[in-house]
Amino acid sequence: MTTSMQLIIDAEAIAKRVRELGANISEHYGDEPLIMVCVLKGAFIFFADLVRAMPIEPEVDFVRLASYGAQTSRKERILFTKDMELPVQDKHVLVVDDIVDTGHSALYLLNVLRMRGAKSLRVCALIDKRERREVDVSVDFPGFVLSEGFVIGYGLDYAERYRHLPAVYTLNADV
Ligand code: IMP
Ligand code: MG
């Protein structure tokens, strides 16, 4: 099997959208204290660009989630492999993810942060695959909405490859 890549969002379009998101997010929170949580690993490049596109000063923190799926039952167990370090109680929290796809992992994280007493919870994602959602999670600040395709680059991987690419591509398996 070989694979081919097709450019779908170039670096310039990403930079423009990140500037818009940074402005929208800053305007939304204003002077309210904000914790931005980067969901590792996929969001690391997006997150670094986004915080630098914001005139307001957020606190930053990082989580990493792993899902252990029994593929056949569609029941997934999601765990933190790295938890946050900052307390979120009574703080506005913005989760920054690479992709919200089925929504299972984002829902897990939002539920945990809600139980810990976050004052408000919102989600920003570089890519919102909203048509594929299986649970009720909405992306408050979506970068790009995609309906199909497996995407890589700008932090997104396939089997830990392609994260370094400065743009977003679809990855096609040519069998
Ligand atoms: P969800 O729990 O199905 O929403 O899973 C979302 C996670 O799966 C994302 O945060 C990504 O890490 C990964 N993922 C989903 N779709 C893609 C894709 O097209 N490319 C790379 N990773 C993806
Ligand atoms: Mg992810």
Side-chain angles (χ1 to χ4, degrees):
M1 191 188 78
T2 57
T3 54
S4 63
M5 285 165 28
Q6 193 184 359
L7 178 70
I8 55 163
I9 312 168
D10 68 23
E12 210 176 308
I14 295 171
K16 177 169 179 283
R17 189 71 189 115
V18 167
R19 282 195 299 273
E20 291 167 356
L21 287 170
N24 292 346
I25 291 166
S26 299
E27 193 185 342
H28 178 85
Y29 291 99
D31 294 334
E32 296 278 315
L34 171 66
I35 300 179
M36 288 176 61
V37 182
C38 174
V39 183
L40 296 171
K41 298 179 190 174
F44 81 114
I45 293 177
F46 176 48
F47 188 79
D49 284 345
L50 185 62
V51 294
R52 286 179 291 177
M54 292 177 36
I56 64 169
E57 184 186 337
E59 290 185 275
V60 300
D61 209 340
F62 300 85
V63 296
R64 180 150 162 68
L65 302 169
S67 63
Y68 299 93
Q71 300 260 349
T72 46
S73 72
R74 262 239 56 88
K75 275 249 165 62
E76 275 182 300
R77 275 188 56 206
I78 298 165
L79 298 172
F80 283 102
T81 54
K82 190 226 172 297
D83 200 343
M84 287 182 68
E85 293 166 17
L86 298 173
V88 299
Q89 177 116 41
D90 300 323
K91 295 280 184 72
H92 296 291
V93 178
L94 178 64
V95 170
V96 180
D97 212 339
D98 56 353
I99 301 183
V100 178
D101 183 27
T102 64
H104 287 284
S105 56
L107 183 65
Y108 171 84
L109 180 57
L110 292 170
N111 284 340
V112 170
L113 298 178
R114 186 172 299 113
M115 286 190 299
R116 291 180 186 171
K119 187 172 180 180
S120 75
L121 278 169
R122 287 194 164 70
V123 178
C124 173
L126 175 69
I127 290 167
D128 181 3
K129 291 183 174 177
R130 55 182 67 158
E131 285 178 27
R132 288 178 39 86
R133 211 75 92 239
E134 294 176 3
V135 291
D136 186 18
V137 173
S138 56
V139 178
D140 305 280
F141 302 99
F144 300 91
V145 177
L146 295 183
S147 53
E148 58 187 28
F150 190 88
V151 291
I152 50 149
Y154 196 65
L156 313 177
D157 76 310
Y158 173 68
E160 296 300 332
R161 294 189 59 195
Y162 311 112
R163 293 192 196 274
H164 66 294
L165 297 173
V168 174
Y169 299 79
T170 50
L171 190 66
N172 308 297
D174 309 315
V175 186

